[in-house]
Amino acid sequence: MPAYAVIGGQWGDEGKGKVIDYLAGKVASVVRYAGGNNAGHTVVNDRGKFELHLIPSGICWEGVSGIIGNGVVVDPEGLLSELDGLGSRGVDTSLLYVSERAHVIMPYHIVLDELEEKAKGVNAVGTTGRGIGPTYVDKVSRIGIRIGDLLDIKGVLVPRLEQALSFKNALFTKVYEVEPVNLDDILAKCRVWADRLAPHIQPTEQIIQDLLAGDKSILLEGAQGTLLDVDHGSYPYVTSSSPSIGGACIGLGLNPQEIAGVVAVFKAYSTRVGSGPMPSELLGDFADELREKAHEYGTTTGRARRVGWFDAVAARYSRQVNGLTGMVLTRLDILDGFSAVKICVGYEVDGQRIDRFPSNTGLLERCQPVYEEHPGWDQPTASATDVSHLPANALSYVRRIEELVGCQIQIISTGPSREETILVHEIIPG
Ligand code: GDP
Ligand code: IMO
Ligand code: MG
């Protein structure tokens, strides 16, 4: 049976966690392929509200396994505290598997993340400070530590850590002029992590292949969003992995033919955390009103999210990059009660109209939004579970987004809970 992907279509925080939790009952496993605990995925169901950072969002479904694939970077401290948190609430995590090949976020990566951001000054990316970038750098530099290394401390971990620390400590003492890192301190932590994580560390690439070869389908859980992709996003204001669908093949050991559907989640408007261009950004009183109404504060860092109107140019680009077979539109309910709503349908730069998302970040920064205004709706969409419950103007807004992006909306989400969902077209058959 195939794999289905649910990924971020915008700048992250689109509501992927909610949608994955809604769909996960239909699959054998939910699988993360990129990013790390920079993600914050919120799930609200009959068991309560959960904020997940590394553990896949299907965890509340009994019998559905969770896989953290080789493309993910794993902070063992974060993972253990998430496991403990779920355990204390009675959620079974025995079917959580972590790839031996996934890279470890070490304490020195977290320190480096902060030092690099400080050094960048006004050009700081506004990272989540979780050590994500420095860990991916080490992976590509071939001095990273992998989760599987924790299981062979003497033979593999010690020599690899010694090598890594020779580079890091030179950087810490000579460039940043801070204290060096002590090998024994890190080894002590590694021993604790190894003991506790050992039962979860598995060759997940093989587990995935076995599931697909059998009668099981799996759900790929994107983290971050396409516009934060290190290649396809607004570089350098991006994350350090590939949240777009290409990252799923690399990050899981999956071939593209096994992916039967790629659905991206979009908010009915836009948000972004951190620096970088956002052409349809709103500022001032209305932005504050929208942010407060929607409670747009980061799940991971608590930072205020920047807010804006739905950007159809960026969404169309996201459709192309990912070959989307469908869309999910979330948080339609947040727009209830506004007298008018707008959609960004093009950009204007230096007096010229452009309809494509530029790869040149400098150009993107100068893009001014061209808006189309639509009448708002008084009747609520909140908690609606059927298209027929939507006010006519809300439905026209949804249809217009579909038309502009060139992609069918398969689910409309009308609230944070699992059941506040309108299934327009089945995403996972059966
Ligand atoms: P993710 O990172 O894509 O999983 O999204 P986050 O969990 O970081 O942020 C999405 C926020 O929107 C969370 O607080 C969700 O509970 C909430 N949410 C998801 N879908 C809806 C919806 O349709 N309506 C409302 N009001 N909230 C939603
Ligand atoms: P989810 O999965 C929103 C942003 C950060 C910063 C940039 C780089 O919850 O949608 P990093 O720490 O990754 O090096 O930061 O990426 N960012 C996110 N924004 N949602 C996320 O994840 C994000 N993960 C990273 O704010 O701008
Ligand atoms: Mg989030």
Side-chain angles (χ1 to χ4, degrees):
M1 295 284 275
Y4 299 89
V6 172
I7 67 176
Q10 295 160 313
W11 285 280
D13 302 327
E14 300 90 346
K16 298 175 290 294
K18 137 101 201 217
V19 177
I20 303 267
D21 171 66
Y22 171 78
L23 293 171
K26 286 196 155 185
V27 299
S29 190
V30 180
V31 181
R32 277 278 306 268
Y33 60 85
N37 59 340
N38 47 350
H41 294 181
T42 315
V43 161
V44 182
N45 55 38
D46 52 3
R47 305 183 75 166
K49 178 177 176 183
F50 300 87
E51 287 177 354
L52 301 161
H53 300 282
L54 270 169
I55 294 183
S57 302
I59 196 72
C60 291
W61 289 90
E62 271 172 37
V64 175
S65 66
I67 295 179
I68 297 177
N70 59 279
V72 176
V73 289
V74 177
D75 178 346
E77 297 282 0
L79 179 56
L80 288 171
S81 83
E82 226 171 304
L83 284 168
D84 289 344
L86 288 168
S88 72
R89 295 174 67 183
V91 178
D92 176 22
T93 54
S94 60
L95 298 180
L96 188 270
Y97 305 118
V98 187
S99 170
E100 298 162 322
R101 296 172 190 263
H103 277 249
V104 180
I105 301 180
M106 286 287 177
Y108 51 81
H109 292 128
I110 298 171
V111 175
L112 266 176
D113 195 352
E114 193 189 329
L115 290 170
E116 285 173 8
E117 281 283 275
K118 258 194 206 144
K120 283 180 183 166
V122 291
N123 298 317
V125 176
T127 72
T128 58
R130 298 294 186 270
I132 306 295
T135 307
Y136 279 114
V137 166
D138 279 7
K139 171 178 176 174
V140 180
S141 296
R142 293 158 295 190
I143 57 163
I145 306 293
R146 305 204 294 184
I147 287 281
D149 300 345
L150 297 175
L151 302 183
D152 186 355
I153 292 191
K154 260 199 192 142
V156 179
L157 185 67
V158 170
R160 295 194 58 77
L161 259 179
E162 279 171 348
Q163 186 201 29
L165 288 189
S166 71
F167 288 103
K168 297 301 156 196
N169 280 338
L171 199 58
F172 281 138
T173 55
K174 295 183 183 152
V175 176
Y176 291 110
E177 298 178 339
V178 296
E179 288 298 303
V181 170
N182 180 281
L183 175 68
D184 290 333
D185 292 349
I186 295 193
L187 276 176
K189 286 183 195 281
C190 289
R191 287 197 181 88
V192 176
W193 299 339
D195 273 358
R196 289 210 48 204
L197 290 178
H200 299 284
I201 301 175
Q202 299 286 336
T204 56
E205 303 75 37
Q206 194 55 53
I207 296 177
I208 290 171
Q209 287 307 326
D210 291 346
L211 286 171
L212 294 174
D215 194 20
K216 310 282 187 196
S217 39
I218 64 172
L219 189 54
L220 313 183
E221 174 170 352
Q224 290 77 54
T226 301
L227 305 176
L228 288 172
D229 187 287
V230 67
D231 281 274
H232 301 290
S234 47
Y235 192 88
Y237 301 104
V238 291
T239 190
S240 300
S241 69
S242 304
S244 59
I245 193 61
C249 293
I250 309 274
L252 296 173
L254 196 68
N255 79 60
Q257 280 113 317
E258 283 167 321
I259 305 176
V262 184
V263 172
V265 185
F266 293 83
K267 270 183 192 168
Y269 48 99
S270 301
T271 63
R272 177 168 196 166
V273 199
S275 315
M278 180 181 179
S280 65
E281 181 168 16
L282 288 163
L283 300 166
D285 291 348
F286 184 70
D288 294 342
E289 184 188 334
L290 177 57
R291 182 179 304 105
E292 291 314 312
K293 182 175 180 194
H295 194 72
E296 287 293 358
Y297 292 90
T299 310
T300 298
T301 58
R303 288 179 291 174
R305 295 176 182 144
R306 298 157 66 192
V307 297
W309 292 117
F310 187 87
D311 185 340
V313 183
R316 209 156 45 227
Y317 171 73
S318 192
R319 187 206 81 205
Q320 287 169 351
V321 166
N322 295 299
L324 295 184
T325 55
M327 299 166 77
V328 173
L329 197 69
T330 62
R331 299 198 135 223
L332 185 62
D333 53 298
I334 297 296
L335 300 181
D336 291 354
F338 288 134
S339 57
V341 288
K342 293 182 186 178
I343 303 176
C344 170
V345 294
Y347 302 144
E348 223 173 72
V349 59
D350 304 332
Q352 289 229 310
R353 167 84 181 247
I354 52 173
D355 298 315
R356 282 174 182 264
F357 193 76
S359 62
N360 178 327
T361 304
L363 183 62
L364 189 60
E365 250 153 17
R366 288 188 289 123
C367 282
Q368 293 301 314
V370 177
Y371 287 124
E372 198 178 79
E373 189 168 305
H374 294 261
W377 48 92
D378 287 332
Q379 294 299 107
T381 67
S383 305
T385 53
D386 195 281
V387 177
S388 64
H389 302 159
L390 295 180
N393 286 350
L395 190 58
S396 310
Y397 178 73
V398 170
R399 295 285 176 241
R400 183 64 180 141
I401 287 178
E402 244 176 1
E403 194 173 63
L404 286 164
V405 181
C407 192
Q408 187 181 58
I409 292 176
Q410 299 183 317
I411 288 178
I412 301 167
S413 173
T414 56
S417 305
R418 190 187 280 170
E419 60 278 3
E420 293 173 300
T421 306
I422 301 174
L423 181 64
V424 186
H425 291 278
E426 210 53 84
I427 291 179
I428 303 176

